[in-house]
Amino acid sequence: MKIERVILRYLKLDLLYPFTTSFATEYDRDFILVEVVNEDGLSGWAESVAMIDPLYNEETVKTNWHILEDYLIPIVLKNEIVHPDELSEKWFAHLRGNQMAKAAIEGAVWDLYAKEKNLTLAGALGGEKKQIEVGVSIGIKSSIEETLETIGARLAEGYKRVKLKIRPGWDVDLIGHVRKIYPDLPLMADANSAYTLNDAGRLKALDEYNLMMIEQPLAYDDIIDHAELQAQLKTPICLDESIHSIEDARKAIKLGSCKIINIKIGRNGGLTASKKIHDLCQANGIPLWCGGMLESGIGRAHNIAITTLPNFTLPGDIAASSLYWAEDIIEPEVTVENGSITVPTAPGIGYKPSLDKINRYTVYSRTYRK
Ligand code: OSB
Ligand code: MG
């Protein structure tokens, strides 16, 4: 690959509806778009999923900009890259952490690689699904009534799996009410690390509601206590925040810390690493689904591509563009019909980044040349 220049853009998009987790309420989304351009003028695109504040994990939009500008972009411009796998396996391997920054530029290189080979990104990764099943993640609301209304609206739009954000005090009662009205709905709960082992009793009370899983109940960096908790719970635990690498996945599986893993490309340090975690989980009977980070269409397109791999057997948090944005920055936007997304067939990410729209939401940008 002959990468000539890299463009970073800092974008800000307003969310149509505020999104509340156990750690914050988001009203808008600040993120970095990475564009890598080859000598023929072909572009690869990806976004960094780091958030504005270090509340989900330790990375932020600005730490990502710093790591991209001062470390990752110089590596990509200086070295001859033959295959995107080399980024995580060779060129970035000596740099600790900063998974979301690494994933952002690696994803753009993967998109460019697929376009150079005239493959879809899904195909380049080895994915074969033509359609993927998705669900919706519903934030913490001001009342149970409002939550029930939101669930009703999403089901009417065709979503078939619902994830509810929980935190201490917004959990057993909430799930009980929802279950009364929707006894058979595929339903799960995401705590974003809001509990400790002292809350095991409260979490055990959720066992009677037949949840598909409870996601990341304990600390963002824990795999030991989760193993102890999983041994006490009937409900499968799914790890999100705690998994950053194939090593984390291997240890979590070995300890019995979870029965399901959520893949986030950014959290895992990129597509290559996520594919390796996929293969490890497949070999160990751990089903996967793709998590979401309130991405724009560009990150969403990457999530769709990885979900085409066979061990993504559970619906992912990849809802339609229109649930997040007044207008998305890709054409066409991501749409969901009957709880499914049709995987695009155009090369690379398969959706066209709209420069008009991207420029409208760009706060600042910088171009880096060879
Ligand atoms: O834990 O899955 C999470 C959003 C921001 C940060 C963390 C999470 C989430 C979501 C939203 O659940 C999923 C989506 O993009 O719709
Ligand atoms: Mg989560």
Side-chain angles (χ1 to χ4, degrees):
M1 304 177 76
K2 302 259 190 269
I3 297 169
E4 282 263 291
R5 61 180 200 275
V6 180
I7 304 161
L8 294 187
R9 295 176 175 86
Y10 186 117
L11 273 78
K12 192 183 194 76
L13 286 179
D14 288 335
L15 281 164
L16 279 176
Y17 313 99
F19 189 79
T20 300
T21 61
S22 62
F23 61 82
T25 298
E26 313 294 334
Y27 297 92
D28 43 33
R29 188 71 169 100
D30 294 60
F31 63 99
I32 300 168
L33 272 188
V34 183
E35 180 184 2
V36 296
V37 187
N38 75 5
E39 60 180 18
D40 300 325
L42 204 57
S43 288
W45 293 85
E47 74 183 81
S48 149
V49 298
M51 306 189 86
I52 185 103
D53 297 313
L55 301 176
Y56 165 81
N57 70 342
E58 74 287 1
E59 293 184 75
T60 71
V61 184
K62 285 190 180 172
T63 68
N64 273 221
W65 191 287
H66 157 55
I67 295 293
L68 283 159
E69 175 169 275
D70 294 333
Y71 297 95
L72 307 179
I73 292 172
I75 290 173
V76 166
L77 288 175
K78 197 163 68 200
N79 297 289
E80 170 70 25
I81 294 150
V82 179
H83 189 279
D85 283 347
E86 290 164 20
L87 292 178
S88 64
E89 290 173 356
K90 178 173 166 191
W91 302 112
F92 297 165
H94 62 296
L95 299 169
R96 306 292 193 223
N98 295 286
Q99 304 300 62
M100 291 175 171
K102 289 172 175 170
I105 189 156
E106 190 237 40
V109 173
W110 261 108
D111 179 35
L112 178 61
Y113 172 82
K115 285 169 175 160
E116 286 180 355
K117 303 269 183 219
N118 203 29
L119 298 168
T120 61
L121 179 57
L125 292 167
E128 291 181 347
K129 290 178 205 151
K130 304 272 181 278
Q131 287 228 319
I132 58 161
E133 284 186 29
V134 299
V136 64
S137 174
I138 297 178
I140 293 168
K141 305 286 181 188
S142 53
S143 66
I144 290 176
E145 293 69 44
E146 196 188 342
T147 308
L148 290 169
E149 254 170 53
T150 307
I151 295 173
R154 299 293 89 86
L155 297 181
E157 290 158 1
Y159 293 96
K160 296 190 185 342
R161 183 228 72 178
V162 169
K163 165 169 134 181
L164 295 178
K165 292 290 191 180
I166 58 168
R167 66 178 168 211
W170 182 259
D171 43 26
V172 183
D173 194 34
L174 168 79
I175 299 293
H177 272 86
V178 172
R179 263 291 173 245
K180 227 177 265 161
I181 298 181
Y182 299 106
D184 301 319
L185 173 67
L187 181 67
M188 52 198 264
D190 185 1
N192 288 108
S193 301
Y195 298 86
T196 70
L197 266 187
N198 293 332
D199 301 307
R202 196 171 190 105
L203 294 166
K204 252 193 279 197
L206 290 173
D207 266 348
E208 70 173 280
Y209 297 111
N210 191 30
L211 296 176
M212 298 168 74
M213 69 195 82
I214 174 166
E215 187 182 340
Q216 195 71 34
L218 307 180
Y220 78 100
D221 54 356
D222 169 77
I223 53 172
I224 306 279
D225 287 355
H226 278 101
E228 199 171 322
L229 181 64
Q230 181 66 87
Q232 298 177 45
L233 293 185
K234 211 173 69 199
T235 308
I237 289 176
C238 169
L239 287 179
D240 173 354
E241 280 89 330
S242 293
I243 305 294
H244 313 94
S245 64
I246 188 158
E247 274 303 286
D248 289 341
R250 180 182 67 79
K251 291 167 188 168
I253 294 168
K254 185 169 177 179
L255 291 175
S257 315
C258 62
K259 293 180 177 163
I260 299 170
I261 287 178
N262 140 340
I263 294 283
K264 286 182 181 167
I265 302 162
R267 198 199 61 221
N268 292 338
L271 286 163
T272 298
S274 295
K275 203 168 135 52
K276 288 182 184 165
I277 295 175
H278 167 274
D279 295 349
L280 176 80
C281 289
Q282 187 171 35
N284 285 277
I286 301 286
L288 301 177
W289 55 280
C290 185
M293 290 291 290
L294 310 175
E295 288 92 345
S296 83
I298 296 199
R300 209 162 288 279
H302 283 261
N303 290 344
I304 293 167
I306 191 114
T307 302
T308 62
L309 295 176
N311 197 41
F312 284 82
T313 54
L314 297 163
D317 278 347
I318 316 176
S321 300
S322 61
L323 274 191
Y324 306 82
W325 321 115
E327 62 174 7
D328 205 338
I329 57 173
I330 51 163
E331 285 162 1
E333 298 199 342
V334 174
T335 54
V336 173
E337 259 172 78
N338 252 319
S340 294
I341 293 174
T342 302
V343 179
T345 53
I349 58 173
Y351 298 87
K352 194 171 154 321
S354 160
L355 280 176
D356 268 5
K357 291 174 186 163
I358 288 169
N359 289 335
R360 204 174 308 153
Y361 299 109
T362 297
V363 183
Y364 53 86
S365 71
R366 187 160 174 195
T367 301
Y368 307 83
R369 294 174 198 280
K370 223 179 170 80

